[in-house]
Amino acid sequence: MNPTFPLTLDFKFSLLTELRVSDAEGRVVAVVKEKFFSIRDEVRVYSDEARQVQTHGIRAQGLMAGALDWRARRLIRRVDGSAVGALQAQGMRTLWGASYELLGADGDLAFTLRDDHPWMSVVEGVISAVPLVGDLIAAGFDYFVNPTYTVRDAAGEPAFRVRKRRSLFSRRFEVEALRPVRPEEGELVTLGLIQLVLRERERG
């Protein structure tokens, strides 16, 4: 997997979670399906629209991990079992705003992923808490105010930016490269950001 940036990540309007990733040339890079009725976060990644060829699997480490574990580590592996890396949630910080570490296959820090404006999540939460009226205002908030995330490399330099785009009936994210993408980074970053948008799609 070596996509050409920028990437577009579109959630299909469906009762089940399905995500389509395309690159700058319009090629389908990945089709992602979340496993239904799983006791831990688990997704399967395919290379084709028909979901006939699975390329990767991503699973939260530990029983009942993910929804109940704010420090859950989601392991990213190819179908042959070889490791690509992992997305590590940063505990209580993730409740305030997106805060993750993207680790390489060796477990070393490769990137950090942060919400650029974490205060927006707090404002949205306060608005949503108001009965009836709050739900209507929050719906407008979701449409007009959309978060951005900056991905920094291990040296702390900005490498990618993720933007959530306005949409009434679906969720769309765009990933922009802020510097030349190294060949060894494409697979890890793409799969790590798939996990990011799966976790953060309801914010904003």
Side-chain angles (χ1 to χ4, degrees):
M1 181 183 289
N2 192 21
T4 304
F5 288 80
L7 302 180
T8 300
L9 295 82
D10 275 305
F11 282 92
K12 186 177 179 180
F13 186 62
S14 170
L15 294 176
L16 303 178
T17 299
E18 187 172 325
L19 177 66
R20 183 177 183 272
V21 183
S22 54
D23 69 5
E25 299 173 7
R27 298 178 303 175
V28 175
V29 175
V31 175
V32 181
K33 192 80 171 178
E34 218 167 14
K35 189 174 180 181
F36 205 45
F37 294 126
S38 177
I39 60 174
R40 54 185 167 185
D41 288 341
E42 184 175 355
V43 300
R44 293 171 181 171
V45 182
Y46 302 87
S47 63
D48 60 319
E49 297 267 19
R51 301 196 304 275
Q52 296 295 313
V53 182
Q54 184 179 350
T55 59
H56 299 82
I58 308 173
R59 176 184 291 186
Q61 189 176 38
L63 190 65
M64 299 298 290
L68 301 180
D69 184 358
W70 293 324
R71 287 193 58 82
R73 176 175 293 190
R74 294 170 175 87
L75 305 178
I76 306 169
R77 295 186 180 278
R78 302 179 187 92
V79 288
D80 63 6
S82 58
V84 176
L87 186 73
Q88 174 75 60
Q90 292 301 290
M92 295 293 289
R93 292 181 61 181
T94 305
L95 295 181
W96 162 254
S99 182
Y100 299 91
E101 291 180 348
L102 187 56
L103 312 177
D106 54 5
D108 290 340
L109 178 67
F111 298 95
T112 58
L113 297 75
R114 300 285 187 271
D115 191 336
D116 291 335
H117 305 289
W119 58 269
M120 291 198 306
S121 297
V122 178
V123 173
E124 183 180 11
V126 171
I127 292 173
S128 300
V130 180
L132 300 178
V133 176
D135 290 338
L136 293 175
I137 297 175
F141 191 96
D142 283 354
Y143 181 74
F144 289 106
V145 182
N146 291 291
T148 63
Y149 308 87
T150 297
V151 181
R152 297 178 181 273
D153 60 25
E157 295 299 318
F160 302 89
R161 180 155 292 123
V162 184
R163 301 178 188 275
K164 186 177 181 182
R165 294 303 188 186
R166 294 178 184 175
S167 179
L168 286 174
F169 300 110
S170 64
R171 308 279 183 178
R172 171 175 290 181
F173 294 79
E174 293 180 358
V175 182
E176 170 193 9
L178 303 179
R179 57 149 171 82
V181 182
R182 304 183 187 102
E184 68 274 13
E185 294 176 337
E187 181 182 29
L188 176 62
V189 169
T190 302
L191 294 164
L193 294 182
I194 284 172
Q195 270 295 297
L196 172 72
V197 302
L198 285 172
R199 305 278 65 79
E200 301 295 322
R201 63 186 181 271
E202 300 303 329
R203 293 189 198 241

